[in-house]
C-alpha cells in the first residue's frame, strides 16, 4: 500500500510539472515539490555559496547541487505571493493584496519604493490603472556606479522619474505573458523593454534577471529584477561603430559585408573581440584572414550566436550554434561568463535593439579560417606537425592547395624520432591530393598522395581506416584543407604479399612452404587477402620429423596455409571484440583485441599491418589451429571425434596431420598461457 501511495505521488508530481505552461512555471513547480515537506507554499531555493544569488531549482541543479560550477546550499522560502503565519507550518497565507506602491515594500524593493516617492511616482502607482513594474531590488540600486546614482537622485523630477517609468509597462504582464523574444513599450517614451524567457526557467528584462516574479497588486503586478535597466535605443552595429575599443572589429565587419545584417531586426548575441584581442594574433595570420573575405566572414560569424543570450541566463555550460555553423560552449564559472571554458569576457550585456554584445579579450578563430598547419598546431599531433615542418612541407600546409593531411597522434611515434630521407618520403605520403571529409569515404576508394602512391580506404563496423591508419578523432576542416587525426603512422603498401614475405628474413621458411604448396601465384594475385604469416620460430616449434612430413605432403601443406588466409583485407584497427573471418579453407577464424594485441584463435600477432598492394600481412609466432568446438553442458563430457576436428580445415584424417595438429595445438596453448 505504501509503494502504491508513493507511486501515485510520483505520478501526480510529474503530471503537475508537465501541466506547467512555461519554463519558469516548470522550475517553480519543481521547487514547490522539493519544498512540500516543509509545509504548504514552500519553495526550495538554491543559493550559490559566498554570494546572495538565489535560484528556483530544476532537477539537474537539485541533484548536482551546483550552479555555474559553484556549490550551492538549499534554503526553503515562501513561494511567490505567500507568507508565514506565527505557529503555522510552511507559508499558508497569501500576501495581502495592496497597490503597487505598498507591494514594493513587501517584496524586497524598498529602495524602489523610496525613489518612487522622491520622483513623485507614488500617486500614480497607488492609483487606478493596471501596470507591470520591473522593480530593481535593493541590491540592484546599491550596485549602480556612484556617479550614475548621483545623477539620478539629483534630478528626481526628470532623470529618476524617466528611469522608473522605463521599468513600467502600462498593462498587467504575468510570467506567462513574458514570452521569449517579446518586447513591450515602456511608460518612458514608449521605448521597448526586451523580454527573454529561457528553457532553464530564467526570465530576463533587458538582460536583468527576474528574481521575484508575479507579485500581484490591486493595480498591477510587480516583478523584482536584479539590476537597474536603461533604455535601449541603438542596434548592435551602432555599438560597434561608436566604441573605440572595437575599432579593429568595426573594420573587419565592414570588410566582410556584415554591416547590414547587424543593423537588421534579430536577436543576435555578439562576442565582440576588442582591439587587444586582435593584437594577440600573430600579424601574418591576422593579415591573411583580414585579406581573405571567406575566412574573415567565417571568423566573424563564429563570434555571433543565432539567438540572444544574456549573461544571467547561463547557469551551466551549454553548446550554442553560431552563424558560422559550429557551436560555442557558453558557460559560467561563478560570476564569470565563459567561452569554450575560458573566462575571456570583459564586459557583459551591452544591450541593443536587435541583440546583445559581450566584449571579449581573445579572438576566437574557427577551424574554417585556418590553414592546415594552423589546424595541426596546438593539438594532439604536435610531433607530426613538427616533423612535417622539418620535412620541408610547410609550403603545402600553409598555402591554398586543396589537400587532406593524415596526422598521427603523438603516441604513434617512437621516442627520439629524427628526420631522414625515408621519413620525408613517408610524410609526403601522409598528404592527400584533395580536400576530403571522412563522411564521404567509402570502402575500396583509392586516394592519391603527394608522394605519388594510392592509399586504400577500409570501412569496418566500428572504424574507418586508410591503409593501416584508422581515424581517431573528428575531422578538422580548414580554409583550404582537412585534417584527419589517425592512430598510427601510415605504412604504404610496398609490393605484393609475396614481395613482403620475401623481403623479411623472419618468413624464409614460410616462403619455402608457399612455393612447395604451389601457392606463389595466389600470393601475387590482385586479392584482397589477409595473411596470418607464421614466422620461422612458428615452424621451428614443430618437431622436426612432423615438419618434414608436412612439407613433404603438398596437399595437406596447402590446406594448413590456406587456413591462415582470408579473401578480404582486415587491418588491426578493424578488429573488434568478436571478429570472424572465413579462411580460404576451413570454417572460421576468430579474432579479438586484448591489450592492444590482436589474437587469432588465441594466437597473438607479433607484428600487425605489413601492408601489401594486394592485401595485408600479420606476423604470428605460432601455427594457427582450429579452436575446440563449443558444446552444451550436457555434452561437455562427450568425446570429440578427431575426424570432426580435422574436417574444420578440410584435410584428410591421417596419422601425419593428426601429429602435426596435436603438436601445433599443445604448443600454441602453452604460448598463450
Amino acid at each position: 500500500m505504501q509503494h502504491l501511495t508513493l507511486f501515485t505521488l510520483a505520478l501526480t508530481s510529474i503530471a503537475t510539472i508537465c501541466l506547467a505552461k512555461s519554463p519558469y512555471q516548470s522550475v517553480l513547480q519543481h521547487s514547490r515539490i522539493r519544498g512540500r515537506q516543509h509545509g504548504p507554499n514552500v519553495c526550495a531555493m538554491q543559493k550559490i555559496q559566498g554570494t546572495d544569488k538565489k535560484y528556483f531549482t530544476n532537477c539537474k541543479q537539485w541533484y548536482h547541487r551546483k550552479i555555474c560550477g559553484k556549490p550551492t546550499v538549499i534554503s526553503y522560502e515562501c513561494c511567490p505571493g505567500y507568507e508565514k503565519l506565527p505557529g503555522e507550518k510552511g507559508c499558508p497565507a497569501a500576501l495581502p493584496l495592496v497597490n503597487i506602491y505598498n507591494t514594493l515594500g513587501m517584496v524586497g524593493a524598498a529602495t524602489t519604493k523610496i525613489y518612487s516617492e522622491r520622483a513623485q511616482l507614488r500617486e500614480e502607482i497607488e492609483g487606478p490603472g493596471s501596470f507591470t513594474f520591473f522593480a530593481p531590488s535593493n541590491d540592484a540600486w546599491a550596485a549602480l556606479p556612484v556617479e550614475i546614482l548621483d545623477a539620478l537622485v539629483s534630478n528626481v523630477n526628470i532623470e529618476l522619474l524617466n528611469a522608473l517609468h522605463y521599468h513600467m509597462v502600462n498593462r498587467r504582464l504575468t510570467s506567462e505573458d513574458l514570452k521569449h523574444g517579446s518586447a513591450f513599450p515602456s511608460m518612458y517614451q514608449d521605448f521597448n523593454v526586451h523580454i527573454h524567457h529561457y528553457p532553464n526557467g530564467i526570465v530576463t528584462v533587458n538582460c536583468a534577471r527576474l528574481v521575484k516574479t508575479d507579485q500581484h497588486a490591486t493595480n498591477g503586478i510587480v516583478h523584482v529584477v536584479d539590476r537597474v535597466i536603461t533604455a535601449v535605443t541603438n542596434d548592435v552595429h551602432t555599438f560597434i561603430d561608436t566604441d573605440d575599443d572595437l575599432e579593429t572589429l568595426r573594420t573587419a565587419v565592414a570588410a566582410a559585408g556584415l554591416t547590414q545584417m547587424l543593423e537588421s531586426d534579430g536577436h543576435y548575441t555578439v562576442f565582440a573581440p576588442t582591439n587587444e584581442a586582435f593584437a594577440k594574433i600573430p600579424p601574418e595570420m591576422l593579415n591573411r584572414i583580414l585579406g581573405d573575405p571567406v575566412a574573415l566572414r567565417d571568423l566573424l560569424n563564429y563570434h555571433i550566436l543565432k539567438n540572444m543570450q544574456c549573461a544571467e541566463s547561463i547557469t551551466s555550460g551549454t553548446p550554442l550554434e553560431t552563424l558560422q555553423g559550429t557551436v560555442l560552449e557558453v558557460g559560467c564559472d561563478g560570476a564569470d561568463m565563459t567561452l569554450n571554458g575560458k573566462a575571456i569576457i570583459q564586459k557583459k550585456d551591452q544591450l541593443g535593439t536587435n541583440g546583445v554584445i559581450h566584449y571579449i579579450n581573445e579572438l576566437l578563430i574557427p577551424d574554417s579560417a585556418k590553414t592546415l598547419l594552423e589546424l595541426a598546431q596546438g593539438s594532439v599531433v604536435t610531433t607530426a606537425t613538427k616533423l612535417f615542418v622539418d620535412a620541408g612541407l610547410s609550403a603545402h600546409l600553409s598555402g591554398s592547395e586543396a589537400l587532406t593531411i593524415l596526422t598521427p597522434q603523438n603516441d604513434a611515434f617512437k621516442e627520439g624520432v629524427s628526420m631522414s630521407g625515408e621519413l620525408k618520403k613517408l610524410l609526403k605520403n601522409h598528404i592527400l591530393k584533395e580536400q576530403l571529409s571522412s563522411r564521404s569515404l567509402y570502402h575500396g576508394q583509392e586516394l592519391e598522395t603527394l608522394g605519388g602512391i594510392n592509399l586504400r580506404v577500409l570501412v569496418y563496423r566500428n572504424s574507418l581506416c586508410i591503409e593501416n591508419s584508422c581515424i581517431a578523432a573528428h575531422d578538422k576542416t580548414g580554409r583550404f584543407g582537412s585534417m584527419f587525426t589517425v592512430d598510427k603512422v601510415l605504412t604504404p603498401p610496398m609490393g605484393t604479399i609475396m614481395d613482403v614475405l620475401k623481403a623479411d628474413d623472419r618468413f624464409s621458411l614460410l616462403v619455402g612452404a608457399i612455393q612447395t604448396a604451389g601457392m606463389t601465384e595466389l600470393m601475387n594475385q590482385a586479392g584482397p587477402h589477409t595473411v596470418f604469416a607464421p614466422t620461422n620460430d612458428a615452424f621451428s616449434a614443430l618437431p622436426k620429423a612432423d615438419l618434414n612430413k608436412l612439407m613433404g605432403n603438398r596437399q595437406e601443406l596447402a590446406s594448413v596455409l590456406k587456413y591462415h588466409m582470408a579473401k578480404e583485407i582486415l587491418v588491426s584497427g578493424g578488429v573488434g571484440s568478436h571478429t570472424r573471418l572465413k579462411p580460404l579453407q576451413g570454417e572460421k577464424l576468430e579474432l579479438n583485441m586484448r591489450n592492444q594485441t590482436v589474437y587469432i584463435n588465441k594466437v597473438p600477432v607479433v607484428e600487425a599491418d605489413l601492408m601489401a598492394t594486394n592485401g595485408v600481412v600479420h606476423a604470428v609466432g605460432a601455427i594457427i589451429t582450429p579452436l575446440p568446438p563449443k558444446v552444451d553442458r550436457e555434452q561437455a563430457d562427450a568425446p570429440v571425434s578427431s575426424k570432426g576436428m580435422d574436417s574444420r580445415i578440410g584435410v584428410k584424417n591421417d596419422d601425419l596431420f593428426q601429429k602435426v595438429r596435436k603438436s601445433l595445438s599443445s604448443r600454441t596453448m602453452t604460448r598463450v598461457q
Side-chain angles (χ1 to χ4, degrees):
M1 185 66 182
Q2 183 181 7
H3 292 302
L4 181 60
T5 303
L6 290 173
F7 180 69
T8 304
L9 179 61
L11 285 179
T12 303
S13 300
I14 293 170
T16 302
I17 292 174
C18 291
L19 289 172
K21 296 180 181 178
S22 69
Y24 167 77
Q25 289 294 335
S26 295
V27 174
L28 179 62
Q29 292 285 21
H30 183 268
S31 295
R32 280 180 175 274
I33 291 168
R34 295 299 177 187
R36 183 178 293 167
Q37 59 182 323
H38 294 272
N41 305 313
V42 174
C43 284
M45 304 288 290
Q46 291 209 51
K47 178 181 177 182
I48 301 177
Q49 293 184 20
T51 74
D52 293 323
K53 299 181 78 169
K54 294 180 182 178
Y55 297 81
F56 291 116
T57 179
N58 58 34
C59 283
K60 183 177 180 180
Q61 292 164 353
W62 178 261
Y63 289 108
H64 288 185
R65 293 292 200 274
K66 282 187 176 181
I67 293 175
C68 283
K70 301 299 180 184
T72 61
V73 292
I74 303 295
S75 63
Y76 296 93
E77 303 178 10
C78 291
C79 295
Y82 294 91
E83 64 178 349
K84 292 181 176 295
L85 286 179
E88 298 280 344
K89 185 177 181 181
C91 305
L95 285 172
L97 203 61
V98 294
N99 59 52
I100 286 178
Y101 177 77
N102 289 317
T103 301
L104 292 173
M106 299 165 56
V107 297
T111 306
T112 300
K113 182 179 179 182
I114 292 169
Y115 287 153
S116 296
E117 185 162 11
R118 287 190 190 178
Q120 299 181 6
L121 184 62
R122 176 175 178 174
E123 182 178 352
E124 186 174 359
I125 59 177
E126 279 185 329
S130 185
F131 309 111
T132 298
F133 203 141
F134 297 103
S137 66
N138 299 335
D139 290 339
W141 287 106
L144 270 184
V146 174
E147 63 275 12
I148 294 177
L149 187 58
D150 286 346
L152 289 174
V153 299
S154 64
N155 191 352
V156 293
N157 292 329
I158 298 177
E159 297 296 340
L160 184 58
L161 180 61
N162 288 343
L164 291 171
H165 267 149
Y166 185 63
H167 289 75
M168 296 176 62
V169 174
N170 195 14
R171 56 179 284 198
R172 181 189 296 262
L173 298 169
T174 68
S175 60
E176 289 297 300
D177 300 314
L178 302 178
K179 306 296 185 185
H180 188 69
S182 59
F184 301 97
S186 74
M187 294 176 65
Y188 170 56
Q189 297 183 10
D190 286 339
F191 285 126
N192 281 341
V193 291
H194 301 268
I195 306 298
H196 290 88
H197 194 144
Y198 295 95
N200 60 4
I202 287 176
V203 184
T204 64
V205 52
N206 286 23
C207 286
R209 182 167 69 94
L210 276 60
V211 293
K212 288 186 180 179
T213 307
D214 294 332
Q215 308 292 331
H216 291 269
T218 56
N219 58 344
I221 197 162
V222 174
H223 304 290
V224 180
V225 296
D226 67 351
R227 72 182 73 167
V228 179
I229 62 175
T230 55
V232 178
T233 57
N234 294 323
D235 58 39
V236 166
H237 181 260
T238 302
F239 266 103
I240 296 172
D241 204 34
T242 56
D243 193 330
D244 289 342
D245 284 340
L246 303 178
E247 182 180 358
T248 309
L249 176 61
R250 179 162 62 249
T251 303
V253 166
L258 295 179
T259 300
Q260 186 174 356
M261 183 196 76
L262 295 177
E263 291 175 339
S264 64
D265 291 340
H267 295 89
Y268 302 113
T269 300
V270 179
F271 295 102
T274 60
N275 299 336
E276 174 194 356
F278 280 99
K280 292 178 181 178
I281 303 302
E284 182 181 350
M285 181 181 187
L286 181 59
N287 290 334
R288 177 185 62 78
I289 294 175
L290 291 175
D292 180 346
V294 174
L296 181 58
R297 183 178 283 267
D298 272 0
L299 172 76
L300 296 177
N301 282 339
Y302 188 53
H303 290 75
I304 305 173
L305 302 181
K306 290 184 173 181
N307 50 25
M308 185 165 158
Q309 210 72 40
C310 297
E312 285 297 325
S313 70
I314 305 295
T315 57
S316 61
T318 306
L320 297 174
E321 189 174 0
T322 69
L323 292 185
Q324 185 257 345
T326 53
V327 297
L328 287 175
E329 181 78 14
V330 182
C332 52
D333 183 9
D336 292 326
M337 191 177 180
T338 60
L339 277 183
N340 293 342
K342 300 172 72 175
I344 60 175
I345 296 177
Q346 287 183 315
K347 194 189 324 184
K348 299 180 287 190
D349 293 341
Q350 303 303 298
L351 195 65
T353 55
N354 60 344
V356 63
I357 295 180
H358 307 291
Y359 289 46
I360 59 176
N361 60 13
E362 283 190 20
L363 194 64
L364 308 172
I365 304 178
D367 288 347
S368 59
K370 295 179 179 178
T371 65
L372 277 172
L373 192 59
E374 290 162 355
L375 284 178
Q377 289 168 338
S379 60
V380 294
V381 292
T382 51
T383 302
T385 305
K386 182 179 183 302
L387 290 172
F388 280 122
V389 173
D390 292 345
L393 297 170
S394 296
H396 292 289
L397 305 184
S398 299
S400 58
E401 293 176 83
L403 302 171
T404 299
I405 183 174
L406 308 179
T407 48
Q409 296 171 321
N410 289 343
D411 57 10
F413 293 94
K414 296 178 181 178
E415 289 187 14
V417 61
S418 57
M419 188 52 57
S420 65
E422 193 64 30
L423 182 55
K424 285 182 181 180
K425 182 179 178 182
L426 178 60
L427 290 171
K428 207 167 183 180
N429 284 321
H430 280 72
I431 303 176
L432 308 175
K433 279 188 171 182
E434 56 185 312
Q435 183 173 7
L436 299 164
S437 164
S438 62
R439 294 181 181 181
S440 66
L441 301 181
Y442 56 89
H443 191 74
Q445 183 179 4
E446 292 193 350
L447 309 172
E448 187 180 359
T449 72
L450 284 185
I453 66 171
N454 288 339
L455 304 177
R456 294 161 295 189
V457 176
L458 307 169
V459 179
Y460 302 105
R461 183 173 297 277
N462 296 312
S463 56
L464 173 62
C465 307
I466 298 173
E467 296 296 337
N468 63 305
S469 300
C470 299
I471 295 175
H474 292 298
D475 305 0
K476 284 181 174 289
T477 304
R479 174 67 179 92
F480 301 105
S482 300
M483 184 179 87
F484 296 168
T485 300
V486 294
D487 61 348
K488 300 181 185 73
V489 176
L490 185 76
T491 303
M494 297 296 177
T496 65
I497 288 172
M498 200 62 184
D499 293 331
V500 170
L501 296 175
K502 284 182 176 180
D504 194 324
D505 291 341
R506 292 176 299 174
F507 302 121
S508 59
L509 293 179
L510 175 60
V511 169
I514 289 170
Q515 292 169 337
T516 299
M519 293 173 57
T520 301
E521 184 179 349
L522 176 63
M523 296 295 183
N524 284 321
Q525 285 177 357
H529 299 299
T530 297
V531 175
F532 301 102
T535 62
N536 292 344
D537 290 340
F539 283 103
S540 299
L542 293 174
K544 191 168 185 179
D546 294 343
L547 178 60
N548 289 338
K549 287 181 180 178
L550 180 62
M551 291 294 188
N553 190 324
R554 178 172 175 171
Q555 183 180 355
E556 290 176 0
L557 177 59
S559 294
V560 171
L561 293 179
K562 286 180 180 179
Y563 189 63
H564 289 70
M565 292 182 66
K567 198 166 181 57
E568 60 181 281
I569 183 166
L570 178 65
V571 297
S572 60
V575 177
S577 56
H578 296 286
T579 302
R580 293 185 176 185
L581 279 182
K582 179 73 172 70
L584 294 187
Q585 188 154 338
E587 290 183 9
K588 65 183 177 182
L589 295 168
E590 295 193 6
L591 296 89
N592 58 67
M593 179 78 75
R594 297 200 311 270
N595 299 323
Q596 298 183 328
T597 298
V598 177
Y599 288 81
I600 310 99
N601 288 10
K602 298 185 178 181
V603 174
V605 169
V606 295
E607 185 177 354
D609 301 333
L610 304 173
M611 305 307 296
T613 54
N614 60 341
V616 61
V617 174
H618 304 290
V620 293
I623 305 296
I624 300 170
T625 60
L627 293 171
K630 295 178 182 179
V631 296
D632 295 334
R633 288 185 178 180
E634 295 178 0
Q635 301 173 338
D637 296 327
V640 179
S641 111
S642 59
K643 181 177 180 180
M645 181 77 92
D646 296 339
S647 67
R648 281 179 285 129
I649 60 172
V651 298
K652 294 179 180 178
N653 181 21
D654 58 19
D655 290 341
L656 172 59
F657 185 74
Q658 283 283 8
K659 288 181 180 180
V660 172
R661 184 192 62 74
K662 289 178 181 178
S663 175
L664 300 182
S665 238
S666 62
R667 290 177 184 273
T668 300
M669 291 304 295
T670 302
R671 286 172 181 269
V672 172
Q673 292 170 356

